[in-house]
Amino acid sequence: MKSILRAVKKRLGVDIQKEKYAYDLDEQFGYMAKAKIPDRWVSTTCGYCSVGCGMFIGVKDGKAVSVRGDAKHPVNEGRLCPKGLAEHYAITAPNRAKWPLFRNDNVKGKFKRMDWDEAVRTMVAHFRDIQERHGAEALGVISTGQLVTEEFYTLGKLIQLGFGTKNFDGNTTLCMASAVSGYKRSFGSDGPPGNYEDLEKADLVFLIGANIADNHPILCYRLEKNPQKILIAADPRVTKTAMMADIYLPVKPRTDIALLNGMMHVILKSGFVNEEYVQKHTRGFEELARHLEKYTPAYVAEITGLSPDMIRKTALLYAKARAPFIGWTMGVNHSTQGTETVNAICNLALMTGNLGRVGASPFSITGQCNAMGTRESGFASSLPGYRKFENAEHRRELAALWGIAEEMIPSSRGLAYPDIIENVLSGRIKGLWVIATNPLVSFPNQAFLRQALENLEFLVVQDGYHPIPTSEAAHLVLPAAVWGEKEGTFTNSERRVSKVNKAVDPPAEAKPDFDIFLMIARELGVYDRLFPGWTKPADAFEEWKKVSRGRLCDYSGLSYALLEQHGGVQWPYPEGSARDPRESFPLYQDGIFQTEDGRAKFWVVENEAPPESPSEEYPFWLNTGRTVEHWHTRTKTGQIPLLNRLSPEAWVEINTRDAKRLKIQHGDYVRLESPRGAIDSITVRVTETVAPGQIFVPFHYAEANANNLTINCCDPISREPNYKQSAVRICKLEPRGAKLRK
Ligand code: SF4
């Protein structure tokens, strides 16, 4: 121990004699180390991103004092990224919500405490009253990708069958609805076909709009285990991931479809179409082939800004690869053409027969820790178990499983998240329940959202953190337990279901979301009918296993014990499965898809201009995204000193040439303006990571909110917003706070 301390002191350059505090460093470090030695370790799954790393929470005297990676976990083999390594601090953050709070004297941001019984009675009474006066659909609910699957399953039943409103969606629509819609259109069902193992086994990895180095860091570790692969990254910004690539494709913003169509054109003309696969397992290829005629390398070069040679070379590298993997995230999904871009990716994989095998997959990397859980078991954009609202047989199956009348199950989906907000603005929705999400930072076009929320009669915010911008606008705040304080399961991007465990009690009167949902069900009078005898998440898990039986996402062979034993198991895992639970399992190995005729479908997609482009008045493209140190709107990471010291404030990346022209220097402050709003002051990073005419702002920071600028236009199919391209202008400021000088 002494030698370690000596090394630490040397490294820090600490000279105790010169320290004005003159404290005993040995004692200090010794105390810190002792305080962090846990009494016990509790195994669980990381609660941030969809990589789904296995880890342990160290508990001492009933408090979470440390974390460490689980060396035996199949996803991360002991590694954790900076967020994961500091995750226990999110449990003890000073901004934890501790008591139910009711808006005092109807003054926004001013609250008085309420006990739980009164809070639940108040909530149900207000929502019931709104529904009686304005109809069942006057209640909207916006959930999250942060709950455990058992909670999503319970919540869906509570809202759709208990409150009887269809207007229920998740913040997951803001990040991966286009992947869902794209998969449904191409393959007949949601469900990423590939595995993380593909990153290790593919001979070519093609990442489109996916900055995994910042957003899914442990996947970089999986990639590093495959030194033979060729890594291609297509992105308008030279991200950390682009810097890792063998080939970087600096595409112009929103030109992915042109690139993909151009690659398919080259593959078609060069005779690399897998005709046997196309003939046996797909439909619609002839129409696609006709459409691809015009996407010559020269034509695509004009649109994308890449050279015709580079387009040809990329296409042939993909076509000739033994097992090529295509991964994407928000660069694809955050677009009014997100769904169609996903279809173009699936077209490319289908025409070359590159799916259903280890290494070969079109793979959407999701965002939140359990975005997949809500996709599978939720009751928002589809019926639980990837069933369809429009399918009478699916509704009959569920009605029989739940012992309810078939008519209680809606035959069409309700409003998606952005449409719920539009209906709040128009006054059709009067009551809103927001669960574990923070739209007053994360929703595009904040001015529009703020105006909409003013119209609400009653806003309930259920969250682990308060105050946060959205909870401050609430009439009622329900304090929820967070990761580390509750039990259930998460599904990661590769369909691996992992166990999440409780290590410590929630603070003060905060409760697990599951318990809150059951309390509300009791108050509504639907508990006995919908959740008979349920007391714990395992009750929901057992019912969910029955509901998923025989579906693509079959959980029927899973149990909590099996998940604990193997650190996560991929679905489908039907009862009696002989598969080694740790083995990776690609979907569609038999080439049979979830469509009516079992064939995958090619979609003809055209490259279109985004809803807004730079103009004389607003001459820059704004691109938004994430940084490794923070999580979404910083409700979890904003109070963690370790992460804040690494990334304390927002910044704007501006190209060197633009900076020179505008006489802006690195470290200056500027104001950013779009037709919708402004960031008053933000620090400049002069860099070559963005091209001239483009800027980048991370979207985590409420105080310099990129979503004051973004446009709230959505993909017409998935309803996912077009976060990635907005037109803005840069106004130089004198030193911070000084008068604006345009
Ligand atoms: Fe958690 Fe994702 Fe980091 Fe893994 S990569 S530790 S899941 S935030």
Side-chain angles (χ1 to χ4, degrees), residues 722-739:
N722 193 91
Y723 282 105
K724 288 290 183 188
Q725 303 94 23
S726 307
V728 294
R729 65 182 168 216
I730 302 170
C731 312
K732 187 174 174 184
L733 294 175
E734 294 299 345
R736 186 162 242 183
K739 214 173 151 211

Side-chain angles (χ1 to χ4, degrees), residues 24-60:
D24 183 336
L25 204 63
D26 287 341
E27 202 176 278
Q28 183 78 358
F29 279 112
Y31 169 76
M32 279 166 59
K34 269 187 224 150
K36 284 175 180 288
I37 295 172
D39 308 327
R40 61 194 171 94
W41 290 99
V42 177
S43 78
T44 192
T45 310
C46 178
Y48 285 115
C49 89
S50 64
V51 173
C53 295
M55 64 200 298
F56 294 95
I57 304 174
V59 181
K60 184 178 175 64

Side-chain angles (χ1 to χ4, degrees), residues 295-603:
Y295 281 89
T296 61
Y299 176 64
V300 172
E302 262 178 47
I303 300 171
T304 58
L306 304 173
S307 72
D309 262 5
M310 189 53 88
I311 294 158
R312 246 181 246 113
K313 188 176 174 193
T314 307
L316 294 178
L317 277 171
Y318 181 86
K320 291 178 185 175
R322 172 189 45 80
F325 173 95
I326 316 178
W328 76 90
T329 63
M330 303 318 151
V332 165
N333 296 340
H334 278 171
S335 154
T336 45
Q337 278 198 289
T339 303
E340 291 188 315
T341 314
V342 173
N343 292 135
I345 291 169
C346 295
N347 286 348
L348 177 58
L350 286 168
M351 80 186 289
T352 47
N354 280 319
L355 73 164
R357 288 182 283 119
V358 171
S361 171
F363 190 83
S364 81
I365 306 164
T366 48
Q368 301 179 69
C369 53
N370 200 25
M372 283 292 292
T374 188
R375 280 157 71 164
E376 298 152 8
S377 74
F379 194 161
S381 66
S382 60
L383 296 172
Y386 292 152
R387 291 179 176 85
K388 295 176 178 143
F389 284 105
E390 315 76 49
N391 187 316
E393 186 52 38
H394 287 176
R395 296 198 302 275
R396 262 195 297 281
E397 271 172 26
L398 285 177
L401 280 160
W402 290 333
I404 59 168
E406 192 189 322
E407 297 68 44
M408 283 184 72
I409 301 176
S411 57
S412 63
R413 80 164 284 186
L415 297 170
Y417 182 172
D419 304 309
I420 290 176
I421 300 301
E422 276 196 34
N423 276 264
V424 170
L425 184 66
S426 70
R428 226 185 104 210
I429 289 181
K430 306 275 187 194
L432 188 65
W433 181 12
V434 174
I435 303 161
T437 188
N438 190 13
L440 275 167
V441 183
S442 58
F443 197 76
N445 191 353
Q446 287 281 301
F448 170 84
L449 175 71
R450 279 193 293 270
Q451 199 190 341
L453 294 186
E454 289 298 323
N455 278 359
L456 282 170
E457 283 187 22
F458 203 66
L459 172 64
V460 177
V461 174
Q462 178 171 323
D463 207 290
Y465 298 87
H466 171 81
I468 57 173
T470 310
S471 72
E472 288 207 288
H475 296 90
L476 180 67
V477 179
L478 301 179
V482 296
W483 173 90
E485 296 168 346
K486 58 185 185 175
E487 185 188 33
T489 51
F490 286 163
T491 313
N492 71 1
S493 290
E494 59 164 353
R495 297 171 279 110
R496 190 175 298 279
V497 183
S498 291
K499 192 74 202 317
V500 175
N501 286 316
K502 176 179 171 175
V504 295
D505 287 328
E509 292 180 22
K511 285 181 187 295
D513 297 271
F514 183 79
D515 295 4
I516 300 172
F517 300 150
L518 291 190
M519 284 180 82
I520 293 167
R522 282 198 181 89
E523 180 63 28
L524 259 183
V526 298
Y527 171 83
D528 289 331
R529 181 157 46 94
L530 299 179
F531 314 108
W534 288 17
T535 55
K536 54 192 181 310
D539 299 324
F541 188 74
E542 288 308 313
E543 185 174 299
W544 163 235
K545 278 166 62 178
K546 288 183 201 149
V547 166
S548 70
R549 185 189 295 274
R551 305 295 305 163
L552 188 67
C553 53
D554 192 331
Y555 275 54
S556 61
L558 297 180
S559 65
Y560 281 1
L562 193 80
L563 302 179
E564 299 276 14
Q565 187 188 345
H566 297 287
V569 180
Q570 280 184 299
W571 61 250
Y573 200 79
E575 195 169 17
S577 173
R579 194 179 94 219
D580 175 354
R582 289 181 79 90
E583 208 174 75
S584 293
F585 183 80
L587 294 183
Y588 310 125
Q589 294 177 46
D590 53 6
I592 297 172
F593 293 86
Q594 296 284 306
T595 51
E596 274 178 21
D597 60 4
R599 288 170 176 267
K601 183 169 173 15
F602 285 108
W603 288 86

